[in-house]
Amino acid sequence: MTEQITHKLDVGVETSYIDDQSDPDADRYVFAYTITISNHADVPVQLLSRHWIITDADSDVQEVRGEGVVGEQPVIRPQSSFRYTSGATLATPVGCMEGAYYMVVRDPIEIDPNDLPVFEVPIAPFSLHTPHALN
């Protein structure tokens, strides 16, 4: 598990290879990643958008930008966590992901998040690899 602490937020990452959705003969390797964002601040925060850079072993890069995560723009209350699982598909058995979340402090909660200053929470690179790829 990889973990990074920024702005009193922990971002933890767990990854797994999804064998039954992968097809190595067709250069298709599917991975799941579970992210846990824990808010250790005294104010609520809201995740507005994300930016991922996904790189495979051939140095092919996919960039993903979008609102929220898994269809949500979660508000994470103080001393609470938000956890979600998503996936990535690579053409090689090894790769990595890194990126950032763009968030706002939701205090007071009544203010429209679009009227609040956005801060970036970087997500350190983490590995995607099949079970025996790194042996």
Side-chain angles (χ1 to χ4, degrees), residues 6-7 17 27 31 36 41 45 51 53 63-64 68 75 78 80 86 89 103 106 123 130 132:
T6 304
H7 294 94
Y17 175 62
D27 294 329
F31 300 91
T36 304
V45 296
H51 176 210
I53 301 168
E63 284 200 57
V64 178
V75 173
S80 296
S86 192
T89 302
M103 305 182 91
R106 291 301 307 269
I123 303 161
T130 60
H132 305 290

Side-chain angles (χ1 to χ4, degrees), residues 20-119:
D20 63 342
Q21 294 180 23
S22 298
D23 183 357
D25 292 334
D27 294 329
R28 177 182 163 83
Y29 299 87
V30 179
F31 300 91
Y33 57 91
T34 299
I35 305 281
T36 304
I37 305 166
S38 299
N39 182 1
H40 300 288
D42 295 329
V43 293
V45 296
Q46 184 172 15
L47 190 160
L48 296 182
S49 63
R50 72 198 182 287
H51 176 210
W52 288 114
I53 301 168
I54 307 163
T55 307
D56 71 15
D58 293 332
S59 297
D60 288 331
V61 176
Q62 304 171 51
E63 284 200 57
V64 178
R65 294 178 187 270
E67 289 188 3
V69 290
V70 294
E72 296 184 51
Q73 291 181 313
V75 173
I76 308 167
R77 304 246 175 239
Q79 310 311 313
S80 296
S81 298
F82 177 78
R83 184 179 181 116
Y84 74 95
T85 300
S86 192
T89 302
L90 302 179
T92 62
V94 177
C96 67
M97 286 180 67
E98 64 185 298
Y101 293 128
Y102 298 93
M103 305 182 91
V104 295
V105 172
R106 291 301 307 269
D107 187 35
I109 197 79
E110 297 81 27
I111 296 176
D112 184 324
N114 295 315
D115 295 335
L116 296 169
V118 173
F119 65 92

